[in-house]
C-alpha cells in the first residue's frame, strides 16, 4: 500500500471511530432548556451544514481554477467536492426537518436560511447532473455552474441577518456554553475528517477514470 | 470596433432573423397564454383570483416562456452552425455575449408587453397601481434571469441533453433575481401595498444583476473558448 | 450485472430511508394533522412528539447514508481499477 492509500485508510478509521463515539460525547452535554433532547440533533446538523458550505467553497474555487487554468487536478477536486456538497447537503436537509418537527411543530419552514441551503443543494445537484448527462465537454460547463454556486455562498450565509426569521441566528455558536461547545466541536472535527477522507477517495476515483480514458485511447490508436 | 458597438450589431442581426421568421415571438407568446390558462384552473376560486396569486402567475409565466425562448434561440444557432461561425469572427467574446443578451431581453420584453396586461385583465392584478416600479421590477428581474440564462443556454448548445439541463441549471441559479422580482411584484399587488419593501427589492435586484453580469462576462470567454 | 444489483439495493435502501420519517410520524396522537405546539405545552415538558425517535432517526440516517455512500465509492473504485488492469494487460500484450 502506498503512503497516500494508508493515509486515507487512517483518516477513514479515525473519523469512523470518532463518529461511533460521538453519541457518548454528546451525552455529556446538558439538556437545552426549551428544546430538550431533540436539540441533540444540532450536534450533527450544524457540522453537516458547515461541511456542505466547505464543500461548496472547495468546489467553487476548484471550478474557477479549472475554468481559467484548465488544470485536470482542479477538475477532479471540483467533482469530488460537488458530490460531497450534495451528500452533506441532503443530510443537512434531512436532519433539519427532524429537529424542526419537535421544536417548531412543523417539518419544513420556508425560512431564509433553509431556503438558501435548499437552493445551494439544487445548484450542486445540477452540477452533478450536468456532468453525468451533459456528454463530452460538460466538465467546463459544470465548472461554470460550480463557480456560480460558490458565489452564492456568502449571500446565503448573510441572508439570515437580512431577513431574520425562525432559524437560530449565526450568533448561537460563538455564544455556546462550553459543555455544549465540546461535543459540537468534536462532531465538527469528526465530520471534517470524514469529509477529507471521502474527498481523497473520490479524487482518486476521478484520477483513475482519467487514466482509464487515456489508456482506452492508447488501445484504440 | 468597440465591444458595445459589436454587441449592438450582433443583437441587430438576431432581431433581423427573428423579425423575418417571427418563430420565437409567436411560439413563446402562445405558450405564455397557454400557461395563463392553466393557472386560471389552479388559482381562481369562484369568480376571483386567490389573493397574492397574480404576482406568482405573472413571474412563472415569464420564466417558463423565457426558458423556451432561450433554448430555441441557441438551438437555431446550433442547427445553422452560426454560433461557431460567430465565435470564429474576430469579435471579442464579451461582445457576443452582450449581443445575445440584448436580443433576448428585447424578445422577452416584447412577450411581457402582452403577458402583463393579460395578467391584469384576466386575474384582476392592479398593474397600473405603481407602473414605474412594476416596470423596474420586470426589467431588472428579467435582466437577472436572462443574464444567467444566456450564459448557460450558450454553453449547453454543445451538450446532448440541453433541453432538460437548461431549466435544471438555470432555475436555482437565477433564483435570487426571480425572488426579487416576485416579492417586489407581490408587494405592489398586495391588498396593502408596501412601496418601501418594493424599493428594497429593486435595490437588491440591481445588486444581483451587477453580480450576475460581472460573473457571466467573466466566465463566458473561458467556457466558449476552444 | 453487478451494477444492476447495486442499483436494486440502493433503491431499496433509499426507499427505507424515505420510510423513516413516516415511521417517526406514525404516532397515534398526530397521524392525521400537523399541530403547532404552544409555548405552555413545551414548558410542561410533554412528550407528544417523541424526541428520542427524532434524534435516533437523525443519527441513523446520517450513519446509513455515509455507509451507503462509502459502499458505492468502494464499488466504483474497485470497478475502475479492475478495468484499468485489463486495459493495462491488453496494452502490454500488443507491446506498447
Amino acid at each position: 500500500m502506498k503512503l497516500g492509500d494508508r493515509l486515507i485508510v487512517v483518516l477513514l478509521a479515525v473519523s469512523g471511530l470518532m463518529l461511533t463515539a460521538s453519541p457518548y460525547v454528546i451525552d455529556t452535554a446538558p439538556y437545552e432548556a426549551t428544546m430538550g433532547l431533540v436539540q441533540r440533533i444540532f450536534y450533527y446538523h450544524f457540522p453537516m451544514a458547515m461541511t456542505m458550505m466547505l464543500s461548496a467553497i472547495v468546489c467553487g474555487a476548484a471550478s474557477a481554477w479549472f475554468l481559467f487554468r484548465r488544470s485536470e487536478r482542479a477538475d477532479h477536486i471540483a467533482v469530488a467536492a460537488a458530490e460531497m456538497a450534495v451528500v452533506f447537503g441532503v443530510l443537512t436537509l434531512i436532519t433539519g426537518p427532524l429537529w424542526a418537527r419537535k421544536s417548531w411543530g412543523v417539518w419544513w419552514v420556508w425560512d431564509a436560511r433553509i431556503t438558501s441551503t435548499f437552493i445551494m443543494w439544487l445548484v450542486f445537484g445540477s452540477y452533478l447532473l450536468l456532468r453525468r448527462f451533459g456528454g463530452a465537454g460538460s466538465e467546463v460547463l459544470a465548472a461554470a455552474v460550480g463557480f456560480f454556486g460558490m458565489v452564492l455562498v456568502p449571500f446565503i450565509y448573510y441572508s439570515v441577518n437580512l431577513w431574520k426569521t425562525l432559524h437560530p441566528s449565526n450568533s448561537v455558536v460563538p455564544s455556546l456554553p462550553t459543555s455544549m461547545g465540546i461535543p459540537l466541536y468534536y462532531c465538527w472535527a469528526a465530520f471534517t475528517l470524514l469529509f477529507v477522507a471521502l474527498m481523497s477517495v473520490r479524487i482518486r476515483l476521478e484520477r483513475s477514470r482519467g487514466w482509464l480514458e487515456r489508456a482506452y485511447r492508447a488501445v484504440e490508436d | 470596433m468597440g465591444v458595445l458597438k459589436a454587441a449592438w450589431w450582433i443583437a441587430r442581426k438576431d432581431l433581423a432573423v427573428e423579425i423575418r421568421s417571427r418563430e420565437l415571438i409567436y411560439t413563446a407568446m402562445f405558450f405564455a397564454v397557454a400557461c395563463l390558462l392553466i393557472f386560471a384552473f389552479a388559482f381562481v376560486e369562484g369568480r376571483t383570483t386567490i389573493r397574492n396569486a397574480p404576482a406568482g402567475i405573472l413571474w412563472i409565466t415569464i420564466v417558463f416562456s423565457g426558458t423556451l425562448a432561450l433554448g430555441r434561440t441557441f438551438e437555431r444557432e446550433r442547427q445553422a452552425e452560426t454560433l461557431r461561425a460567430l465565435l470564429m469572427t474576430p469579435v471579442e467574446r464579451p461582445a457576443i455575449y452582450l449581443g445575445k443578451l440584448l436580443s433576448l431581453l428585447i424578445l422577452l420584453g416584447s412577450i411581457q408587453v402582452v403577458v402583463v396586461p393579460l395578467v391584469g385583465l384576466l386575474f384582476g392584478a392592479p398593474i397600473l397601481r405603481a407602473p414605474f416600479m412594476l416596470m423596474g421590477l420586470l426589467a431588472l428581474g428579467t435582466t437577472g434571469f436572462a443574464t444567467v440564462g444566456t450564459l448557460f443556454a450558450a454553453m449547453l448548445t454543445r451538450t446532448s441533453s440541453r433541453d432538460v439541463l437548461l431549466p435544471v441549471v438555470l432555475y436555482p441559479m437565477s433564483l435570487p433575481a426571480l425572488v426579487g422580482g416576485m416579492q417586489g411584484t407581490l408587494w405592489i399587488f398586495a391588498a396593502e401595498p408596501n412601496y418601501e419593501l418594493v424599493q428594497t427589492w429593486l435595490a437588491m435586484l440591481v445588486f444581483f444583476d451587477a453580480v450576475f453580469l460581472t460573473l457571466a462576462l467573466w466566465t463566458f470567454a473561458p467556457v466558449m473558448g476552444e | 450485472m453487478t451494477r444492476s444489483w447495486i442499483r436494486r439495493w440502493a433503491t431499496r435502501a433509499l426507499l427505507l430511508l424515505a420510510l423513516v420519517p413516516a415511521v417517526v410520524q406514525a404516532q397515534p396522537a398526530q397521524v392525521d394533522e400537523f399541530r403547532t405546539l404552544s409555548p405552555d405545552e413545551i414548558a410542561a415538558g410533554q412528550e407528544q412528539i417523541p424526541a428520542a425517535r427524532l434524534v435516533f432517526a437523525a443519527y441513523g440516517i446520517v450513519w446509513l447514508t455515509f455507509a451507503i455512500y462509502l459502499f458505492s465509492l468502494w464499488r466504483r473504485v474497485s470497478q475502475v481499477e479492475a478495468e484499468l488492469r485489463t486495459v493495462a494487460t491488453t496494452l502490454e500484450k500488443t507491446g506498447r
Side-chain angles (χ1 to χ4, degrees), chain A residues 39-57:
Chain A
Q39 182 263 347
R40 278 158 199 239
I41 292 179
F42 166 73
Y43 300 108
Y44 268 35
H45 176 73
F46 180 79
M48 220 84 69
M50 290 326 270
T51 315
M52 182 201 183
M53 289 284 185
L54 178 67
S55 318
I57 292 168

Side-chain angles (χ1 to χ4, degrees), chain A residues 70 119 133-134 141 145 147 163, chain B residues 155 159 161 173 201 218-219 222:
Chain A
R70 294 297 149 112
I119 299 171
F133 302 109
L141 317 185
V145 175
F147 181 49
W163 303 280
Chain B
M155 284 172 16
T159 62
S161 39
M173 286 287 187
W201 283 114
W218 202 18
T219 41

Side-chain angles (χ1 to χ4, degrees), chain A residues 79-80 83-84 87 128 132 198 201-206 208-209 212, chain C residues 2-3 6 68-84:
Chain A
V79 197
E83 214 169 282
M84 294 307 135
V87 171
L128 291 182
R132 179 102 165 68
L198 292 176
V201 179
R202 188 65 184 78
I203 291 170
R204 245 196 56 165
L205 172 63
E206 208 55 34
S208 308
R209 277 189 185 154
L212 191 63
Chain C
T2 44
R3 285 191 75 168
I6 298 164
I68 293 170
Y69 183 66
L70 208 61
F71 179 70
S72 96
L73 259 185
W74 173 69
R75 291 294 311 190
R76 284 187 278 174
V77 167
S78 46
Q79 206 181 340
V80 168
E81 269 168 14
E83 238 177 291
L84 257 178

Side-chain angles (χ1 to χ4, degrees), chain B residues 188-201:
Chain B
I188 293 180
F189 290 175
E192 286 163 19
N194 185 336
Y195 297 115
E196 248 167 68
L197 277 177
V198 178
Q199 273 162 2
T200 313
W201 283 114

Side-chain angles (χ1 to χ4, degrees), chain A residues 102-116:
Chain A
K102 175 79 180 168
S103 54
W104 296 340
V106 285
W107 290 108
W108 186 271
V109 173
W110 289 100
D111 132 284
R113 180 102 65 103
I114 301 172
T115 314
S116 352

